Amino acid sequence: MKLLEGKRAAIFGVANDRSIAWAISEAFHAEGAELAFTYAGEILEKRVRPLAEGIGSKIILPCDVTKDEEVEKVFATLKQEWGGLDILVHAIAFANKEDLSNPYAQTSRAGFHLAMDVSAYSLVALAQRAAPLMEERNGSIVTLTYMGSEKVIPNYNVMGVAKAALEASVRYLAHDLGPKGIRVNAISAGPLRTLAAAGISDFKSMLHHVAERAPLKRNIGAEEVGKTALYLCSDWGSAVTGEVVHVDAGYNIMGM
Ligand code: NAP
């Protein structure tokens, strides 16, 4: 029997086939899960729909996570079509370009709010609606973070602050939803070339830096994040909740 046979997963955050959420989707699909996808806008629909349909997905819905009515609609549809939900993947983040290049000290109030809303609060908005669908099903929620939450990574700026809030949210959600048997975890991935990464100034030097200094002396592959998500969202991770698991070739353990 496959690891996720009979499981139903909602995936938020596929932009294209380089997205971390897509690597996770491929890992879940290979292990027998049925998947539903959301996309953030019409332009993305053109990229997400063919990918989703290619692996047999029948539920493909618009969802800008800053709009409560779109979020509500997604979970109403999941309830109607599936009756319940086993897995939720949250792989969403956004900050204004200038806030990922100017000094952090210059972050505007509006830029701060936007990054926090899309990148941190959205997990709470999704989890609170997913939870009623996950009861009695040992549900699992997983989000994506980056070590810019723990240490200063030049240019990551407001996103590092949003990721710190996201990781704290993972712990509070794990506490709240644990009694219902729902687990909540984060994967702290090493740098990967994706659309979101393209917004970070001098991203290339982050890749070089990691390959030089990480214990494994290399960068990671998105499929390695997929495998860790599989562990966290399957029975293999049944006693793991509230954790931030680093998938970064060990980079985060280095002091010098
Ligand atoms: P990606 O392919 O660009 O995925 C980011 C996703 O967030 C896109 O689908 C994007 O849609 C979506 N998004 C942005 N604003 C949204 C909104 N208001 N409503 C709904 N969706 C929205 O990049 P990725 O690197 O795979 O990012 C996925 C997650 O991994 C993010 O949380 C990111 O911070 C995290 N992460 C990435 C790295 C890395 O190096 N790439 C490392 C660690 C963690 P649009 O394209 O329409 O904005």
Side-chain angles (χ1 to χ4, degrees), residues 77-172:
T77 307
L78 291 175
K79 187 174 181 194
Q80 194 185 322
E81 298 294 319
W82 284 353
L85 182 67
D86 302 290
I87 296 167
L88 184 141
V89 173
H90 171 276
I92 288 173
F94 184 80
N96 288 325
K97 200 154 173 58
E98 65 268 24
D99 292 329
L100 299 172
S101 54
N102 291 339
Y104 175 67
Q106 288 176 17
T107 308
S108 66
R109 191 182 300 272
F112 189 94
H113 282 172
L114 179 66
M116 279 287 181
D117 190 15
V118 177
S119 316
Y121 179 73
S122 61
L123 177 68
V124 185
L126 300 187
Q128 67 188 213
R129 289 162 176 100
L133 301 183
M134 288 182 158
E135 283 181 40
E136 316 289 330
R137 298 172 75 117
N138 295 326
S140 178
I141 297 174
V142 71
T143 185
L144 268 302
T145 187
Y146 176 60
M147 74 163 281
S149 62
E150 305 163 50
K151 303 277 183 200
V152 172
I153 305 286
N155 297 320
Y156 202 62
N157 301 354
V158 70
M159 190 55 78
V161 176
K163 291 299 193 191
L166 179 74
E167 290 171 22
S169 284
V170 163
R171 291 184 282 273
Y172 279 92

Side-chain angles (χ1 to χ4, degrees), residues 13 19-20 40 44 63-65 91-93 144-145 163 189 191-192 194-196:
S19 295
I20 296 174
L44 274 197
C63 185
D64 176 338
V65 291
I92 288 173
L144 268 302
T145 187
K163 291 299 193 191
L192 282 163
T194 62
L195 264 188

